[in-house]
Amino acid sequence: MNNIELWQSVLSQMQFHISRANFATWFQNTEIISKDNEKIIISVPNAFSKEWLSNKYNKLILKTLHDIDDSIRELEFVIKPQPIKNTPIKNTSGIEEQEEIQLKFEEFKINKETNLNPRYTFNSFVVGSFNELAHAAALAVADNPGFTYNPLFIYGGTGLGKTHLIQAIGNKINDELKKKKIKYISSEKFVSSIVSAIRTNTMETFKASLAPIDVLILDDIQFIAGKNKSQEEFFHIFNSLYEKNKQIILSSDRPPNAIAELEDRLRSRFEGGMIADVSLPDYETRLVILKTKLQEKNADLPEDVLDYIAANVKKNIRELEGALNKILIHNKINPGLNLEMVKKLLRGFVFSPFDVANYKKIIETVAKFYNLEEKNLFDPTRRKEIVKPRQVAMFLLRKELKYSFPAIARKFGGKDHTTAIYAFKKIEAENEENNKLTEELNLIKQRIYSG
Ligand code: ADP
Ligand code: MG
């Protein structure tokens, strides 16, 4: 493996450990310039990068390098100003080659106008029962921005595809409706722009810069919670866009009614359009996602390896992708991977015992515990001997697997999600006071986690 390949491997691992924005900022135009024995020298474009990388990422980079090549023990960063673009420098020290590799990292290809990453498309987005509502709503919005659901509010846990999905909307509109002006902004960035506009007395200019936007995409809007001035300004920005039928798309790690310290008037705006969640993919879908990613990367892995990854990496899709990447890199260095090696490599991705719970196991265990058949749990009946086990199952799906309430409601025959909330609260409250129930829950959990 030459230095370029080695650095590329490191970068493809780093992507999964740090945010996209940071990745692009700190790793663009970096490369390994020498490797002798234990020491690697990395060139960076300026002093600022050098400081950041050596202070913040030294350990992580070293560990990643060491994982790939365990002889590496030391890192040094040196400043090497980049050749100015448009000045063709031919046939020198692999600069062209390096550039080609840099381009493979789509994070570096973010559209300057829209801030969208072209990698996030509907085409590359796998749909399953865990995200189909959100996907359908997103497509509908992309086809008719401003007039279908406004705002569109997508929520769910980290690494489950929110950013991918809301950017896919932007990319589709950008491709098909060329005249529409689209802007993707992280809420962190958005809030800091508002704060600095307040500080410098330039709010009107800031607002004017947003006025021509047809589609405003704000990622991780829960970030605005508790920031009162920003909420106030955002409320006005929201209204002025909304009144002109401009599309607003929001993502969050939780639904609007669960964002503490959110002004009521904003909450009711967020709830005024379409709210859809993304939850966890099941085993089959995880396998489909892995295969899709392999195809994108033009790579291949043995079926038993894929099966192992899909069966064991369950936390979220980002981890799934990270695990796949790790295996692919090792396979490239030492072709002829076997399952034992894969298990060893993925130790950090496989969580136990917590992660051995899954939907099927919970339903199975709860039904058995209460001497019911699994299908009884889904019976539309108010009989006490069914209602309680059903509520326990809902409670555990929420508590142990972090299922969203709408997702739980859908699993139980499309019930209203308030039924799921009610079940969760009821069992939670009873668990506090009723030792018998606590004991039952402990027994059920033991069974769920004992394999
Ligand atoms: P979130 O914003 O919810 O934290 P991301 O959108 O950043 O999650 O997704 C994490 C990673 O998983 C990204 O690389 C994304 O492309 C991938 N991913 C998420 N959902 C899907 C999906 N349904 N199909 C294919 N890839 C997905
Ligand atoms: Mg995100």
Side-chain angles (χ1 to χ4, degrees):
M1 179 183 259
N2 63 29
N3 288 344
I4 290 177
E5 284 171 335
L6 179 59
W7 192 233
Q8 194 194 2
S9 303
V10 171
L11 292 184
S12 62
Q13 286 288 292
M14 297 301 298
Q15 286 191 95
F16 292 97
H17 292 293
I18 61 180
S19 79
R20 264 179 280 282
N22 276 335
F23 181 70
T25 309
W26 304 117
F27 289 93
Q28 195 157 24
N29 300 323
T30 57
E31 62 177 318
I32 293 179
I33 49 172
S34 84
K35 168 174 184 274
D36 57 83
N37 301 327
E38 303 189 336
K39 188 170 175 182
I40 292 266
I41 299 184
I42 295 161
S43 76
V44 299
N46 52 51
F48 203 35
S49 295
K50 180 176 168 179
E51 197 180 317
W52 264 86
L53 289 174
S54 48
N55 290 339
K56 295 245 174 192
Y57 297 117
N58 193 58
K59 238 175 150 172
L60 189 56
I61 298 171
L62 188 58
K63 186 182 176 304
T64 312
L65 277 163
H66 186 76
D67 278 350
I68 299 171
D69 177 345
D70 59 14
S71 68
I72 299 169
R73 286 169 200 286
E74 206 189 325
L75 268 190
E76 191 185 321
F77 297 92
V78 298
I79 300 166
K80 179 176 138 192
Q82 293 299 303
I84 296 160
K85 283 244 169 77
N86 304 330
T87 317
I89 301 174
K90 297 264 179 227
N91 305 323
T92 43
S93 64
I95 281 170
E96 285 179 318
E97 208 176 338
Q98 176 67 16
E99 222 167 41
E100 198 178 300
I101 281 168
Q102 293 260 352
L103 288 179
K104 281 194 194 144
F105 288 93
E106 305 275 355
E107 312 301 341
F108 297 153
K109 282 205 251 173
I110 289 168
N111 182 315
K112 295 254 173 356
E113 191 70 27
T114 62
N115 291 332
L116 291 168
N117 182 332
R119 175 167 97 87
Y120 295 128
T121 62
F122 280 108
N123 259 340
S124 60
F125 191 79
V126 176
V127 184
S129 59
F130 70 108
N131 64 10
E132 64 188 343
L133 184 66
H135 173 260
L139 262 185
V141 164
D143 284 337
N144 198 2
F147 294 93
T148 348
Y149 305 118
N150 209 8
L152 173 63
F153 191 102
I154 304 283
Y155 75 92
T158 164
L160 294 179
K162 300 181 298 295
T163 297
H164 188 140
L165 192 58
I166 60 179
Q167 290 216 15
I169 302 172
N171 278 318
K172 187 166 195 277
I173 298 173
N174 200 30
D175 283 350
E176 292 172 6
L177 305 168
K178 296 257 184 266
K179 282 199 198 115
K180 296 273 180 204
K181 205 168 149 55
I182 303 154
K183 199 65 125 187
Y184 167 89
I185 314 177
S186 75
S187 294
E188 213 173 333
K189 178 94 198 301
F190 187 66
V191 166
S192 85
S193 304
I194 292 180
V195 169
S196 90
I198 294 173
R199 196 180 332 112
T200 54
N201 241 324
T202 51
M203 188 49 75
E204 289 318 308
T205 325
F206 178 64
K207 283 184 178 160
S209 76
L210 296 174
I213 292 173
D214 297 300
V215 180
L216 178 65
I217 307 173
L218 286 177
D219 208 351
D220 291 316
I221 195 68
Q222 78 277 356
F223 186 79
I224 206 167
K227 307 192 168 61
N228 297 339
K229 274 266 179 274
S230 297
Q231 291 194 35
E232 190 181 328
E233 295 301 341
F234 179 43
F235 181 74
H236 298 301
I237 292 166
F238 186 106
N239 287 342
S240 70
L241 291 171
Y242 183 86
E243 278 158 15
K244 289 183 218 129
N245 287 318
K246 307 296 189 73
Q247 180 70 47
I248 297 156
I249 301 168
L250 306 165
S251 86
S252 161
D253 66 351
R254 65 203 79 177
N257 62 15
I259 306 177
E261 294 191 76
L262 183 67
E263 271 187 35
D264 281 340
R265 55 182 189 172
L266 263 186
R267 191 190 319 276
S268 75
R269 286 291 184 279
F270 292 176
E271 286 171 341
M274 171 72 163
I275 301 179
D277 72 309
V278 290
S279 62
L280 288 162
D282 57 14
Y283 161 78
E284 275 80 22
T285 318
R286 291 199 292 272
L287 201 56
V288 175
I289 291 172
L290 288 173
K291 291 185 173 168
T292 310
K293 303 277 172 198
L294 272 183
Q295 226 168 28
E296 277 170 29
K297 295 173 201 288
N298 247 324
D300 208 5
L301 283 175
E303 199 68 27
D304 62 337
V305 170
L306 287 179
D307 185 74
Y308 180 81
I309 306 174
N312 291 283
V313 183
K314 307 173 199 170
K315 198 168 162 208
N316 60 46
I317 301 173
R318 183 175 298 134
E319 295 262 325
L320 194 64
E321 221 179 321
L324 178 69
N325 242 25
K326 184 160 188 183
I327 299 299
L328 284 174
I329 288 163
H330 279 261
N331 195 36
K332 197 167 156 196
I333 307 166
N334 338 292
L337 209 61
N338 63 44
L339 200 53
E340 281 319 299
M341 279 165 67
V342 170
K343 285 184 187 169
K344 230 163 131 186
L345 289 169
L346 293 190
R347 247 180 233 151
F349 288 96
V350 177
F351 296 90
S352 62
F354 182 82
D355 252 22
V356 294
N358 60 39
Y359 172 77
K360 197 165 160 281
K361 225 169 198 171
I362 288 180
I363 297 299
E364 208 173 79
T365 313
V366 171
K368 216 179 208 165
F369 187 87
Y370 291 107
N371 286 320
L372 298 170
E373 281 182 24
E374 279 177 41
K375 67 173 184 336
N376 294 144
L377 288 177
F378 304 91
D379 284 346
T381 167
R382 288 172 191 270
R383 273 176 27 230
K384 223 171 81 196
E385 56 277 33
I386 305 272
V387 171
K388 183 183 152 196
R390 181 163 61 219
Q391 289 177 336
V392 166
M394 289 177 165
F395 173 82
L396 290 172
L397 287 174
R398 173 75 186 174
K399 190 98 180 158
E400 304 301 308
L401 299 183
K402 313 279 182 269
Y403 269 41
S404 71
F405 291 121
I408 295 171
R410 280 199 298 281
K411 290 281 186 193
F412 286 84
K415 287 185 191 309
D416 182 359
H417 74 282
T418 54
T419 311
I421 296 175
Y422 175 76
F424 179 79
K425 291 208 167 131
K426 180 145 190 288
I427 298 295
E428 191 178 44
E430 250 185 84
N431 187 21
E432 300 264 291
E433 306 160 357
N434 175 341
N435 288 334
K436 187 167 164 290
L437 180 68
T438 307
E439 215 170 272
E440 285 179 10
L441 286 173
N442 284 340
L443 284 170
I444 293 171
K445 277 197 259 179
Q446 263 173 33
R447 292 190 194 178
I448 290 172
Y449 289 124
S450 65

